[in-house]
Amino acid sequence: MISKIIEKKLVSLQLVRGLSSSTARSARNNAFNTVITEEVATKSPQLVTLHNRLRLPGSFKLSTLGRCLTCIQKDNKYPNNVGLSIFGKNLLSYHATELLLMKYPRLPLNVLNNAINGIIGDETLYSIGKEWGIQTDSSTAVEKFLNEEPEEITIGRLRFDNQNKSIESNLTVIDKKNTLTQEVAMASAVKSIVGAYYASSKSLQDTKKFIYNYILTTRHLKIQDMFEFEQPTRELAALCKRQGLEQPVTRLLSESGRASKRPVFLVAVFSGNEKLGESFGASLREAKIRASVNALMNWYLYSSLDVKLPSDADYSRETLKEVDHGIVIV
Amino acid sequence: MNSIRLLGVRSFNGSTTQIIPRRTLVNTGSRVRGMLRDPADYLVSSSGRRYPENATGMAPIISNLKNYLSQNSVEGIDDKVLLQVLTHKSFAHGKKPFNEKLSVFGVHLLKEISAIHLIESEASEGASVEGLNVDVLGGTLSKRLLHKSVLAQFTRLNIPGIEKDIFWRNRNLMITDPAVNGENVVLFDTILATVGAVNLIKGKGVASDFIGKAILSGENSLVELAKATISKPQENKSE
């Protein structure tokens, strides 16, 4: 009896599938898709909760929030979030770059790019999405059909074709036809919400506030750990020459246990009478290199006490005569 | 023919310790292993212009860019910053201030403003969000818009003669194709650095207006040039 019911349901499911493919839906194209209506979206408990949790404005429709959770799928029923995600990424990238460049104007470009990735990369946005409480839709189409899952429940979850399908515990199938992993899909949903925030509010200032409150200020980034110097002493010498400073000189400040098994040397780098950096090491050479690294870090991680952003309403730096020179090329 | 000269004596006034001035001998002409090159030898752009050392020398070089900015209601950017906008990282082994970071700052702003412009003005087949056609993004037009060749063409058309003002190192003077010898990349970086400098000094409001007025509208706007590059291959096919 049960098997007959399942068989009947599968047959009708096949019919539904056949119908959907005949409407020529492509994964990327949104032209032929039906739109999530506000009426259905209002009934979705997940969408209502997420909307309230993020304190989204009333102009941010629940149906738009539902679209933000729709990633590219083979048989797209609803319009996907690709455009919104790209737009959200543009907004996020600008604000992340602006914040870092204004806070640390001397950051080398590779460190800057890594820092941007650390703030708004897929990994970070995935954890932010999870904190926001975005649920992932892991049930198959058959399971949904058999459970008679209502549409409003489905649209409240993050929907995507997962590249990694977990069959059993400790067994995952990697389907390379699907391009999205859970991490990427969640990140695209977060980016889409940012894009949709602008679409709903039509205000760059309000969107900026949302980005700062919910994304940029939620993570602490250790920028100092992102540096890697190949020739720190040479780089420091080149930097001093470029900036018109006296050539760096390393001086031993103090030492202990030179003849012992574990000596410690405290060394500082000076340019004229100005101390540029200081560090210690188990040998004079190590201490010298560490002191040069410290001096370079002091230079690159310079930060103004009063950070103003070009996107602030009252911003103006007309008195600015010099912009950061750029990295030191050794 | 090689010549050797004394580069100069550096003195450090205001220092309490007595420092012996450093004398440096530099070499001009073909390279000699172990000898420093005379800066006068390499501080010359690919177009033959010498890098200016003072404000008088700076004025004729930055005048073209300054005029372009003032035509688009942007005034008050310091000459030194404009010279930095016109200096590429490849010039003089990065010894002079270059436009790399201004360019990065500019590209992110241009991406944001051009995306808003596209979703507000361009039509798409997909469902819009609050009247914004977000599905335009990720399409051919939005990708072509920030393509190096399109932005380079835009710079050439809108700031005529700027390629001669830019300080950069041509990787091979025998190659004249701008797409291969690096000229397109240099022009691309320069226009983005211009946007970045306006944003940094005048703020985002002025920079957005500048992008809207100077880059995204008009006969030779970025959008029109990007559309032209998309339609070109189709025309060739039909021919």
Side-chain angles (χ1 to χ4, degrees), chain A residues 152-209:
Chain A
E152 53 264 26
I153 298 294
T154 312
I155 60 168
R157 294 192 188 127
L158 178 66
R159 283 152 285 126
F160 64 103
D161 291 331
N162 200 344
Q163 195 180 61
N164 306 323
K165 282 177 187 163
S166 181
I167 293 175
E168 297 170 15
S169 58
N170 301 329
L171 186 63
T172 306
V173 174
I174 298 169
D175 185 359
K176 288 197 173 174
K177 284 178 191 166
N178 299 329
T179 49
L180 296 178
T181 59
Q182 191 177 3
E183 200 174 74
V184 176
M186 186 74 88
S188 82
V190 173
K191 285 182 260 186
S192 304
I193 291 171
V194 172
Y197 197 98
Y198 172 80
S200 307
S201 64
K202 302 279 190 309
S203 162
L204 281 172
Q205 283 301 327
D206 290 350
T207 314
K208 180 186 164 186
K209 264 185 206 166

Side-chain angles (χ1 to χ4, degrees), chain A residues 30 67 83 87 94 97 101-102 105-107 109 202 246-247 273 310 315 317-318 321 324-325, chain B residues 12 16 19 22 78 84 95-96 98 100-101 104 108 112 127 130 134-135 199-202 204:
Chain A
N30 275 334
R67 182 171 175 174
F87 184 47
Y94 173 75
T97 311
L101 274 180
M102 291 298 118
R106 293 175 185 164
L107 273 190
L109 197 61
K202 302 279 190 309
E246 290 179 38
Q247 280 302 294
N273 287 334
Y315 178 89
R317 288 178 75 184
E318 299 216 358
K321 297 284 177 199
D324 177 48
H325 185 130
Chain B
F12 301 102
T16 49
I19 292 160
R22 199 171 167 185
D78 195 78
Q84 184 167 351
K95 285 191 170 64
K96 296 292 173 189
F98 49 85
E100 188 186 36
K101 240 187 278 177
V104 170
H108 287 294
E112 185 191 289
E130 305 297 336
V134 287
D135 286 329
N199 190 18
L200 186 69
I201 289 164
K202 308 293 284 186
K204 195 181 176 186

Side-chain angles (χ1 to χ4, degrees), chain A residues 22-246:
Chain A
S22 66
T23 53
R25 286 170 190 151
S26 70
R28 281 189 78 89
N29 196 352
N30 275 334
F32 302 100
N33 294 323
T34 52
V35 183
I36 298 172
T37 59
E38 198 60 21
E39 195 187 340
V40 177
T42 320
K43 291 177 193 165
S44 170
Q46 294 103 325
L47 289 181
V48 174
T49 314
L50 184 61
H51 194 279
N52 290 334
R53 195 179 292 134
L54 296 178
R55 293 179 188 172
L56 297 171
S59 57
F60 196 122
K61 289 180 183 167
L62 288 167
S63 53
T64 309
L65 191 57
R67 182 171 175 174
C68 293
L69 303 181
T70 315
C71 298
I72 290 180
Q73 283 175 299
K74 277 172 199 162
D75 292 313
N76 260 358
K77 194 177 173 188
Y78 302 111
N80 62 44
N81 65 5
V82 175
L84 277 173
S85 170
I86 294 170
F87 184 47
K89 191 187 173 189
N90 288 342
L91 293 166
L92 280 171
S93 301
Y94 173 75
H95 286 291
T97 311
E98 183 189 66
L99 176 69
L100 287 167
L101 274 180
M102 291 298 118
K103 203 172 175 187
Y104 304 106
R106 293 175 185 164
L107 273 190
L109 197 61
N110 54 350
V111 178
L112 177 73
N113 288 336
N114 284 338
I116 292 171
N117 195 39
I119 297 175
I120 56 162
D122 284 349
E123 215 170 296
T124 313
L125 294 184
Y126 169 69
S127 67
I128 288 173
K130 279 210 301 186
E131 282 170 19
W132 285 0
I134 297 174
Q135 294 174 21
T136 310
D137 185 13
S138 52
S139 59
T140 62
V142 177
E143 283 167 352
K144 275 194 195 85
F145 192 80
L146 293 174
N147 294 334
E148 293 178 351
E149 189 179 281
E151 194 184 10
E152 53 264 26
I153 298 294
T154 312
I155 60 168
R157 294 192 188 127
L158 178 66
R159 283 152 285 126
F160 64 103
D161 291 331
N162 200 344
Q163 195 180 61
N164 306 323
K165 282 177 187 163
S166 181
I167 293 175
E168 297 170 15
S169 58
N170 301 329
L171 186 63
T172 306
V173 174
I174 298 169
D175 185 359
K176 288 197 173 174
K177 284 178 191 166
N178 299 329
T179 49
L180 296 178
T181 59
Q182 191 177 3
E183 200 174 74
V184 176
M186 186 74 88
S188 82
V190 173
K191 285 182 260 186
S192 304
I193 291 171
V194 172
Y197 197 98
Y198 172 80
S200 307
S201 64
K202 302 279 190 309
S203 162
L204 281 172
Q205 283 301 327
D206 290 350
T207 314
K208 180 186 164 186
K209 264 185 206 166
F210 178 78
I211 291 170
Y212 271 81
N213 289 342
Y214 287 91
I215 296 168
L216 296 186
T217 51
T218 57
R219 298 288 183 280
H220 177 68
L221 201 65
K222 285 187 175 175
I223 296 178
Q224 60 271 27
D225 294 348
M226 294 179 180
F227 283 87
E228 206 170 77
F229 300 102
E230 284 181 9
Q231 296 169 305
T233 44
R234 220 179 140 188
E235 190 169 333
L236 184 63
L239 176 69
C240 287
K241 192 179 175 187
R242 193 186 78 180
Q243 295 303 122
L245 302 169
E246 290 179 38

